[in-house]
Amino acid sequence: MSSRSGPNDDSASYVTARPAGASDPWTAQGVQATQRLVEVGEVSTPAEVAEALGEQVRAVVRRRIMLFDDVPVELTDSYYPLSVAAGTPLAEKRKIRGGAPTLLAELGYTAHEVVEDVSAGPATASEAKALDLPSGRTVLILLRTTRTADGTPFEVSRMVMRPEGRHLRYRLLVG
């Protein structure tokens, strides 16, 4: 759900393809919401990401800083298995028109199941610096795993967020 002065926290919009010509869901929030692509490349995955991807230790990562009114509010690292991302625009250091979910859908990967794990903890020194926070300040950490209908994980995103102004809403459809 959108908060009055913060970013859109409706997770569904971040895992579904956008209509042709539409901007990504972060930018679509308005002129105050922007993102900066920091790094794209093949990396060794952190343990929690490797576990979510099924013990894959190498993946393509897209690291971004999300800003609201020019204030850094979120660090987002999205990891894609090499079998999904290698040789695609996911592996290129450039913005993807319509966002990654739109490209992933074109590649045959659509979200069927999304699991989000939310926790809180102290920011690391580099996270605090990037988010312009005092060292050790508590941040929200969201680990999102997106899977196809057959259960194959194709994207794992780790988001570190400033806690103020955040509101996370979840809706479960059962049956």
Side-chain angles (χ1 to χ4, degrees):
M1 172 164 197
S2 294
S3 64
R4 182 177 57 78
S5 61
N8 181 2
D9 294 314
D10 174 8
S11 296
S13 65
Y14 294 100
V15 298
T16 54
R18 308 289 288 172
S23 61
D24 64 86
W26 185 267
T27 306
Q29 296 182 70
V31 294
Q32 313 95 321
T34 58
Q35 59 180 292
R36 187 176 327 132
L37 187 59
V38 176
E39 176 188 357
V40 176
E42 186 178 325
V43 297
S44 295
T45 56
E48 64 187 350
V49 173
E51 182 180 337
L53 287 175
E55 303 305 321
Q56 297 182 43
V57 295
R58 300 289 294 170
V60 169
V61 67
R62 295 181 63 84
R63 296 187 202 282
R64 299 171 315 282
I65 297 176
M66 315 308 263
L67 302 115
F68 196 72
D69 290 335
D70 293 321
V71 175
V73 295
E74 180 177 307
L75 308 175
T76 302
D77 294 352
S78 296
Y79 297 86
Y80 305 93
L82 295 178
S83 60
V84 171
T88 74
L90 289 168
E92 299 172 7
K93 191 175 180 183
R94 64 181 175 95
K95 196 166 180 176
I96 297 171
R97 180 177 291 274
T102 301
L103 174 62
L104 287 161
E106 292 170 6
L107 297 173
Y109 297 93
T110 57
H112 178 75
E113 177 188 44
V114 178
V115 176
E116 293 188 343
D117 183 71
V118 181
S119 60
T124 66
S126 63
E127 292 166 346
K129 182 177 179 182
L131 291 171
D132 196 24
L133 294 170
S135 186
R137 171 98 181 269
T138 299
V139 292
L140 293 177
I141 303 162
L142 188 147
L143 186 71
R144 175 186 296 145
T145 304
T146 308
R147 294 184 177 91
T148 60
D150 69 1
T152 303
F154 64 89
E155 179 182 38
V156 175
S157 293
R158 182 178 188 275
M159 291 151 267
V160 177
M161 300 174 264
R162 295 178 71 106
E164 65 273 359
R166 298 310 293 226
H167 177 102
L168 303 175
R169 174 187 281 183
Y170 292 90
R171 185 176 86 175
L172 304 175
L173 301 176
V174 180

